[in-house]
Amino acid sequence: MINTKSALIKLIPKKLLLIVPFLIILNCSGIIGQIAEAAVIKIESSSLTIPKEEVIKLIKTQGTKNPYYFQGLSYKVANIDKDDDFEIVAKIDGGVHVGYFFIFDKNSQGKYSLVAEKDWKVEKWDLEYWHDLNGGNKAYEMTTRAGGSGMDIFYGHVWYLKDSKFVEAWIGTLKERTAFQDILGLKIGGYQINSDDLRLYAWTTKYATKISTNKPLAKPTTIVSIFKFNGVKYVLQSQDTCGHSN
Protein backbone atom coordinates (compact mmCIF):
# COMPACT_ATOMS: atom_id res chain seq x y z
CA MET A 1 0.00 0.00 0.00
CA ILE A 2 1.40 3.45 -0.95
CA ASN A 3 2.28 5.75 1.92
CA THR A 4 0.46 8.96 0.86
CA LYS A 5 2.33 11.17 3.31
CA SER A 6 5.74 9.98 2.10
CA ALA A 7 4.73 10.45 -1.53
CA LEU A 8 3.64 14.04 -0.91
CA ILE A 9 6.88 14.87 0.91
CA LYS A 10 8.91 13.67 -2.09
CA LEU A 11 7.07 16.17 -4.30
CA ILE A 12 8.21 19.16 -2.25
CA PRO A 13 11.34 20.89 -3.73
CA LYS A 14 14.25 20.42 -1.40
CA LYS A 15 15.96 23.77 -2.08
CA LEU A 16 13.20 26.29 -1.53
CA LEU A 17 14.56 27.48 1.79
CA LEU A 18 17.87 27.00 3.56
CA ILE A 19 18.54 28.47 6.96
CA VAL A 20 22.09 28.24 8.11
CA PRO A 21 22.79 29.01 11.75
CA PHE A 22 26.03 30.66 12.68
CA LEU A 23 27.37 31.08 16.19
CA ILE A 24 30.60 32.98 16.48
CA ILE A 25 32.31 33.55 19.77
CA LEU A 26 34.83 36.35 20.01
CA ASN A 27 37.19 36.01 22.98
CA CYS A 28 39.43 39.01 23.33
CA SER A 29 41.33 39.76 26.57
CA GLY A 30 38.74 37.91 28.59
CA ILE A 31 35.83 39.68 26.87
CA ILE A 32 33.45 37.31 25.11
CA GLY A 33 30.97 38.63 22.56
CA GLN A 34 28.33 36.25 21.27
CA ILE A 35 26.80 36.78 17.86
CA ALA A 36 23.32 35.37 17.30
CA GLU A 37 22.45 33.17 14.37
CA ALA A 38 22.15 34.65 10.88
CA ALA A 39 19.93 33.30 8.16
CA VAL A 40 20.46 33.19 4.43
CA ILE A 41 17.83 32.20 1.91
CA LYS A 42 18.49 30.06 -1.13
CA ILE A 43 16.83 30.81 -4.44
CA GLU A 44 16.56 28.58 -7.48
CA SER A 45 18.83 29.21 -10.45
CA SER A 46 17.29 30.70 -13.56
CA SER A 47 16.50 28.46 -16.52
CA LEU A 48 16.72 31.54 -18.74
CA THR A 49 19.82 31.55 -20.92
CA ILE A 50 21.37 34.44 -22.82
CA PRO A 51 24.12 33.88 -25.41
CA LYS A 52 27.59 35.07 -24.44
CA GLU A 53 27.77 37.11 -27.63
CA GLU A 54 24.72 39.09 -26.49
CA VAL A 55 26.35 39.88 -23.13
CA ILE A 56 29.54 40.97 -24.90
CA LYS A 57 27.47 43.26 -27.14
CA LEU A 58 25.78 44.83 -24.11
CA ILE A 59 29.13 45.51 -22.45
CA LYS A 60 30.68 46.91 -25.63
CA THR A 61 27.78 49.28 -26.35
CA GLN A 62 27.02 50.41 -22.80
CA GLY A 63 30.27 49.99 -20.86
CA THR A 64 32.56 52.96 -20.21
CA LYS A 65 35.96 51.25 -19.95
CA ASN A 66 36.52 49.90 -23.48
CA PRO A 67 38.42 47.89 -24.57
CA TYR A 68 37.65 44.87 -22.35
CA TYR A 69 39.36 41.50 -22.03
CA PHE A 70 36.41 39.30 -22.99
CA GLN A 71 38.41 36.06 -22.66
CA GLY A 72 37.96 36.54 -18.93
CA LEU A 73 34.20 37.12 -19.11
CA SER A 74 31.71 35.08 -17.09
CA TYR A 75 28.10 35.91 -16.24
CA LYS A 76 24.93 34.72 -14.55
CA VAL A 77 21.23 35.34 -15.17
CA ALA A 78 19.18 35.64 -11.98
CA ASN A 79 16.36 37.63 -10.39
CA ILE A 80 18.36 39.66 -7.87
CA ASP A 81 15.78 42.34 -7.00
CA LYS A 82 12.09 42.47 -6.08
CA ASP A 83 10.50 42.53 -9.55
CA ASP A 84 9.74 39.54 -11.79
CA ASP A 85 12.43 40.24 -14.41
CA PHE A 86 15.79 38.51 -14.52
CA GLU A 87 18.98 40.54 -14.45
CA ILE A 88 22.40 39.85 -16.01
CA VAL A 89 25.32 39.94 -13.58
CA ALA A 90 28.73 39.74 -15.29
CA LYS A 91 32.40 39.93 -14.38
CA ILE A 92 35.65 40.13 -16.31
CA ASP A 93 38.84 38.65 -14.88
CA GLY A 94 41.67 40.71 -16.34
CA GLY A 95 44.54 39.73 -14.04
CA VAL A 96 45.58 39.37 -10.41
CA HIS A 97 44.20 42.76 -9.39
CA VAL A 98 42.37 43.79 -12.57
CA GLY A 99 38.74 43.18 -13.43
CA TYR A 100 35.26 44.59 -13.99
CA PHE A 101 31.80 43.96 -12.56
CA PHE A 102 28.49 44.70 -14.36
CA ILE A 103 24.76 44.50 -13.73
CA PHE A 104 22.19 44.84 -16.52
CA ASP A 105 18.52 45.32 -15.64
CA LYS A 106 15.49 45.48 -17.92
CA ASN A 107 14.17 48.98 -18.51
CA SER A 108 10.59 50.08 -19.19
CA GLN A 109 11.00 49.10 -22.87
CA GLY A 110 11.97 45.55 -21.89
CA LYS A 111 15.59 45.97 -22.98
CA TYR A 112 18.67 45.35 -20.86
CA SER A 113 20.28 48.52 -19.57
CA LEU A 114 23.57 48.91 -17.67
CA VAL A 115 22.83 49.91 -14.07
CA ALA A 116 26.21 49.15 -12.44
CA GLU A 117 29.83 49.02 -13.61
CA LYS A 118 32.72 48.71 -11.14
CA ASP A 119 36.47 48.34 -11.56
CA TRP A 120 36.38 45.26 -9.35
CA LYS A 121 38.33 42.03 -9.69
CA VAL A 122 35.68 39.64 -8.36
CA GLU A 123 37.24 36.72 -6.49
CA LYS A 124 34.03 35.18 -5.17
CA TRP A 125 30.32 35.74 -5.77
CA ASP A 126 27.19 33.76 -5.09
CA LEU A 127 23.78 34.78 -6.38
CA GLU A 128 22.10 31.68 -4.94
CA TYR A 129 22.09 33.02 -1.37
CA TRP A 130 20.85 36.36 -0.14
CA HIS A 131 19.93 38.15 3.07
CA ASP A 132 16.42 39.56 3.46
CA LEU A 133 16.88 43.21 4.39
CA ASN A 134 14.16 45.62 5.45
CA GLY A 135 11.74 46.32 2.64
CA GLY A 136 12.31 42.93 1.04
CA ASN A 137 15.59 43.88 -0.63
CA LYS A 138 17.83 40.92 -1.48
CA ALA A 139 21.35 41.61 -0.21
CA TYR A 140 24.23 39.60 -1.65
CA GLU A 141 27.81 39.02 -0.52
CA MET A 142 30.88 39.26 -2.72
CA THR A 143 34.67 39.22 -2.35
CA THR A 144 36.90 41.41 -4.52
CA ARG A 145 40.67 41.71 -4.80
CA ALA A 146 42.79 44.83 -5.24
CA GLY A 147 46.38 45.91 -4.76
CA GLY A 148 49.60 46.65 -6.52
CA SER A 149 53.34 46.56 -5.87
CA GLY A 150 53.89 45.19 -2.37
CA MET A 151 50.17 45.19 -1.52
CA ASP A 152 47.39 42.62 -1.81
CA ILE A 153 43.88 43.29 -0.43
CA PHE A 154 40.66 41.28 -0.27
CA TYR A 155 37.42 43.17 0.41
CA GLY A 156 34.05 41.88 1.50
CA HIS A 157 30.96 43.59 0.04
CA VAL A 158 27.27 43.49 0.93
CA TRP A 159 25.15 44.92 -1.89
CA TYR A 160 21.67 44.94 -3.39
CA LEU A 161 19.72 46.29 -6.34
CA LYS A 162 16.74 48.57 -5.72
CA ASP A 163 14.73 50.41 -8.36
CA SER A 164 17.46 49.63 -10.92
CA LYS A 165 20.09 51.26 -8.71
CA PHE A 166 23.12 49.48 -7.28
CA VAL A 167 23.57 50.03 -3.53
CA GLU A 168 26.75 49.00 -1.71
CA ALA A 169 25.46 48.53 1.82
CA TRP A 170 28.83 47.66 3.38
CA ILE A 171 32.49 47.12 2.53
CA GLY A 172 35.19 45.76 4.84
CA THR A 173 38.71 44.34 4.71
CA LEU A 174 38.99 40.54 4.83
CA LYS A 175 42.74 40.35 4.23
CA GLU A 176 45.41 42.96 3.61
CA ARG A 177 49.06 42.12 3.12
CA THR A 178 51.81 44.73 2.67
CA ALA A 179 55.57 44.34 2.41
CA PHE A 180 57.91 47.32 2.77
CA GLN A 181 61.47 47.74 4.07
CA ASP A 182 61.69 44.30 5.74
CA ILE A 183 58.29 44.68 7.44
CA LEU A 184 55.32 42.49 6.65
CA GLY A 185 51.98 44.00 7.62
CA LEU A 186 48.97 41.72 7.79
CA LYS A 187 45.28 42.30 8.51
CA ILE A 188 42.93 39.33 8.79
CA GLY A 189 39.22 39.95 9.20
CA GLY A 190 35.71 38.63 8.83
CA TYR A 191 32.07 39.60 9.31
CA GLN A 192 28.63 38.16 9.95
CA ILE A 193 25.09 39.49 9.52
CA ASN A 194 22.71 38.75 12.38
CA SER A 195 19.30 38.11 10.81
CA ASP A 196 17.47 38.82 14.09
CA ASP A 197 18.16 42.55 13.99
CA LEU A 198 20.15 42.88 10.69
CA ARG A 199 23.22 44.14 12.54
CA LEU A 200 26.56 43.38 10.92
CA TYR A 201 29.44 42.28 13.17
CA ALA A 202 32.97 42.71 11.79
CA TRP A 203 36.42 42.07 13.23
CA THR A 204 39.97 42.71 12.02
CA THR A 205 43.25 41.61 13.62
CA LYS A 206 46.48 43.45 12.77
CA TYR A 207 49.95 41.87 12.76
CA ALA A 208 53.44 43.26 12.03
CA THR A 209 56.42 40.97 11.41
CA LYS A 210 60.07 41.53 10.51
CA ILE A 211 60.54 39.64 7.25
CA SER A 212 64.23 38.73 7.67
CA THR A 213 63.74 37.18 11.12
CA ASN A 214 60.04 36.23 10.92
CA LYS A 215 59.59 37.74 14.39
CA PRO A 216 56.62 39.87 15.42
CA LEU A 217 57.33 43.55 15.99
CA ALA A 218 54.43 44.10 18.34
CA LYS A 219 51.50 42.32 19.92
CA PRO A 220 48.53 41.92 17.55
CA THR A 221 45.40 44.00 18.11
CA THR A 222 41.83 43.22 17.15
CA ILE A 223 39.17 45.79 16.27
CA VAL A 224 35.57 44.63 16.72
CA SER A 225 32.86 46.74 15.04
CA ILE A 226 29.08 46.59 15.05
CA PHE A 227 27.12 48.15 12.16
CA LYS A 228 23.40 48.90 12.13
CA PHE A 229 21.33 48.81 8.95
CA ASN A 230 19.62 52.19 8.58
CA GLY A 231 17.30 51.14 5.77
CA VAL A 232 19.84 51.93 3.06
CA LYS A 233 23.34 51.11 4.29
CA TYR A 234 25.23 49.76 7.28
CA VAL A 235 26.47 52.54 9.56
CA LEU A 236 28.96 52.13 12.41
CA GLN A 237 27.23 51.76 15.77
CA SER A 238 30.13 50.83 18.08
CA GLN A 239 33.78 49.88 17.92
CA ASP A 240 36.23 48.39 20.41
CA THR A 241 39.95 47.61 20.29
CA CYS A 242 41.24 44.54 22.11
CA GLY A 243 44.84 43.72 22.97
CA HIS A 244 46.36 40.24 23.10
CA SER A 245 48.47 38.92 25.95
CA ASN A 246 50.55 36.62 23.78
Side-chain angles (χ1 to χ4, degrees):
M1 182 176 180
I2 298 175
N3 189 323
T4 305
K5 182 178 180 180
S6 299
L8 288 175
I9 291 175
K10 292 180 180 180
L11 294 177
I12 300 175
K14 296 181 179 179
K15 297 183 179 180
L16 287 180
L17 182 63
L18 175 63
I19 300 178
V20 181
F22 294 93
L23 187 63
I24 299 176
I25 304 298
L26 297 179
N27 190 343
C28 190
S29 298
I31 301 175
I32 300 178
Q34 181 171 320
I35 300 176
E37 71 172 18
V40 291
I41 303 172
K42 190 175 190 305
I43 58 175
E44 295 297 331
S45 299
S46 168
S47 59
L48 176 65
T49 59
I50 295 177
K52 186 175 182 179
E53 293 74 17
E54 181 65 25
V55 178
I56 291 175
K57 182 179 178 181
L58 288 171
I59 294 175
K60 280 184 176 181
T61 57
Q62 301 185 41
T64 62
K65 309 291 184 179
N66 272 312
Y68 297 99
Y69 178 72
F70 288 111
Q71 289 85 342
L73 172 67
S74 59
Y75 64 97
K76 297 181 180 181
V77 180
N79 186 359
I80 62 173
D81 55 13
K82 297 194 297 182
D83 61 28
D84 295 328
D85 293 325
F86 284 85
E87 288 72 41
I88 300 173
V89 184
K91 63 178 179 177
I92 293 178
D93 185 347
V96 177
H97 297 127
V98 179
Y100 299 97
F101 173 72
F102 310 88
I103 298 178
F104 294 89
D105 193 11
K106 281 190 176 181
N107 57 29
S108 57
Q109 286 77 41
K111 296 182 179 180
Y112 280 107
S113 177
L114 180 66
V115 296
E117 180 179 6
K118 301 290 182 180
D119 296 339
W120 288 350
K121 163 64 184 301
V122 178
E123 285 287 314
K124 181 180 178 181
W125 65 359
D126 191 349
L127 302 182
E128 293 292 319
Y129 297 91
W130 47 275
H131 297 272
D132 187 7
L133 298 182
N134 288 335
N137 294 311
K138 303 174 183 177
Y140 300 87
E141 298 179 75
M142 183 167 59
T143 301
T144 62
R145 188 175 185 178
S149 178
M151 179 177 290
D152 192 29
I153 310 172
F154 289 83
Y155 294 108
H157 305 259
V158 177
W159 60 273
Y160 61 92
L161 195 67
K162 181 178 181 181
D163 299 329
S164 296
K165 293 182 180 179
F166 178 84
V167 181
E168 187 176 33
W170 180 84
I171 180 174
T173 300
L174 303 181
K175 180 180 179 181
E176 179 179 317
R177 181 175 53 193
T178 59
F180 181 70
Q181 294 184 349
D182 201 32
I183 297 177
L184 175 65
L186 183 63
K187 295 180 183 178
I188 296 292
Y191 71 96
Q192 181 64 65
I193 297 175
N194 176 16
S195 61
D196 294 334
D197 56 11
L198 295 181
R199 283 181 171 82
L200 187 150
Y201 295 77
W203 52 95
T204 305
T205 302
K206 297 180 180 181
Y207 303 87
T209 305
K210 193 173 181 63
I211 298 175
S212 58
T213 62
N214 198 29
K215 292 184 178 180
L217 297 176
K219 294 179 180 179
T221 57
T222 297
I223 299 176
V224 181
S225 306
I226 301 177
F227 297 84
K228 183 178 180 181
F229 188 68
N230 67 359
V232 179
K233 295 184 177 183
Y234 280 100
V235 295
L236 183 63
Q237 186 177 24
S238 65
Q239 191 171 80
D240 294 299
T241 300
C242 305
H244 295 258
S245 57
N246 296 317

